[in-house]
Structures are given as C-alpha cells and as structure tokens.
Amino acid sequence: MNAQGLSINLATVREQWNLGEAVEACAKLGIKAVDPWRDQVAKFGLNNSAKVIKDNGMQVTGYCRGGMFTASDAKGRAAAIDDNKHAIDEAAALGADCLVLVVGGVPQGSKDIEGARLQVAEGINAVLDHARAAKVPLAIEPLHPMYAADRACVNTLRQALDLAGQIAPDVGVAIDVYHVWWEPGLAEQIARAGREKRIFAHHICDWLVPTKDILLDRGMMGDGVIDLKAFRGMIEGAGFHGPQEVEIFSAGDWWKKPGEQVLKTCIERYNKFCK
Ligand code: ZN
C-alpha cells in the first residue's frame, strides 16, 4: 500500500493514541506527513512532539489550530491574539508548513455576524508580523456554514480568498473538501486560489448522507458524496501538489476502531478514491 502524498491529521486517531504513538504508527505504515492539534502537543509536550516528528522524518502539513479571534469584548480579543502568537511559536517549533486558522464565530450574546467578520480581519492583521518573523504561513480555513455561529464566520472559499486578499499577499487558505465541496463556482475559486498562490493545505474526508452529528460524523473517503478525484484534479490543476491530509472526526465510528485499522483504511481509500 502506497502512502506517498498522504498526510494524517492526528485528530483522526486522537481517541486511540497520544501524539508519539500516532506519529510512530504512521511512520510504520509509510506515512510521511502529519498535522497535530494543539491539545495533543500540549499533552505530549512541545519538545517531545518536535522530537518524535523529526526522528520519524515527518513533514508537518499544518498545525491545528489558531484563530478564534472573535470575542464580546476587547479583553477577549486581545487574549485571542496572544494565544495565536503562542500557536505560531509552537507551529515554528514543530516545523509546520502553516498554522490553520479556524477564525471564530459570532461572539456570545451578539447577533452581528458582519461585525464578527471585521474582528477576524483585525485579529489576523494583528498576528501577521509575528507569523512572518516566525516563518509560519497563516492559512484561513473556510468552514461549512453550519459552523458560522460557533466556529467560523468565514464559510466559503470565495469569502476566505477575498479576506486573505484584503489582508496580505502571503496569507493563504486551507482547502478542506468537507467544508467547501458544495460551493457554487468551486472550480473557479480553486483556480483563483492557485493563481494567487494561496493554497497552503488540502484536507480530505467525505460527507455522509445522512450526517448524524454536525461536528463528529465525518466520513471516510469513498463513503460519501464528494467526488474526491475531481476535487484533487482541481487542486493540482491550480498548482498545489502537497499532501492530501485526512481529517476525520468520527465519534460513532472511526474513533472507536483500532488505530492501525483506521490508518490502513485511510491509505487504501486514498489510493482508490483520491488520486
Ligand atoms: Zn480541515
């Protein structure tokens, strides 16, 4: 089984293993890239995480996650900026290709989503110099609109590219099939992202019908309705040839299976459905 070009977002096996175990299990199966989460790194230790990643020759296709810039008061927004600077430093220590930004939803008690979007732009602007100094590119990840209230008020690739364009030429996007597969004009926006050199990461999984939980029921590639080969064709056509990163939150299914089985299935489905 060929795992060339495959990355594993470590949330996919977060219930089975700690960070070190997960990285070693990936390496054993020939997987050469991972994307860890901050809580996993915090638990395993930043130095230990950097070491196990380096010892196993892993590319770090992203670091999850920064963002959450929106808050109901100035103090909350300042705390978010501070926290993002820490995330940038951790991403640098891990050698991550980018820091993935899940930008934040509508602040508690607010009904002003456009105001939230302004806060996001301000937040990214406020950490940009820190990110540049640390050589950690920032990747805005548009999230499916069902998360607009509580996770991210940036919900389409078009909107993410517009926002990145307003901020700076070196702010990019993480394109996750789960969030944007349905977007009208997707091909055009992916091509635009390529022209603007803003594709920093490509996440994969599948959209199940029915989806039983809006957060924790992502599907394994091939089990849902996303045309993953066509999607990858658009991404490569736009000039991005980096790894496809599997990111599956699945409380009812994949998080309950043995980790090795999950990784083997990822490799098998990646070869069959994604390239
Ligand atoms: Zn993602």
Side-chain angles (χ1 to χ4, degrees), residues 9 35 37 64 100 102 141-143 174-179 202-204 218 245 247 249:
N9 183 298
D35 176 344
W37 281 64
C64 284
V100 175
V102 171
E141 183 170 28
L143 258 54
I175 303 180
D176 187 327
V177 300
Y178 190 72
H179 297 301
H202 178 208
H203 301 173
I204 58 171
R218 294 191 188 199
E245 177 184 319
E247 186 183 34
F249 315 149

Side-chain angles (χ1 to χ4, degrees), residues 87-149:
I88 287 165
D89 295 342
E90 291 161 26
L94 297 168
D97 295 344
C98 62
L99 176 67
V100 175
L101 300 180
V102 171
V103 296
V106 181
Q108 218 172 6
S110 166
K111 299 190 186 216
D112 181 8
I113 193 166
E114 289 303 338
R117 288 170 175 152
L118 291 176
Q119 292 184 7
V120 168
E122 282 171 16
I124 297 173
N125 267 311
V127 300
L128 190 54
D129 283 346
H130 193 91
R132 283 175 177 158
K135 295 192 168 43
V136 174
L138 301 176
I140 300 167
E141 183 170 28
L143 258 54
H144 190 283
M146 64 184 172
Y147 304 115

Side-chain angles (χ1 to χ4, degrees), residues 146-161:
M146 64 184 172
Y147 304 115
D150 62 346
R151 284 193 166 71
C153 56
V154 173
N155 306 103
T156 62
L157 182 54
R158 177 196 294 266
Q159 186 193 358
L161 290 168

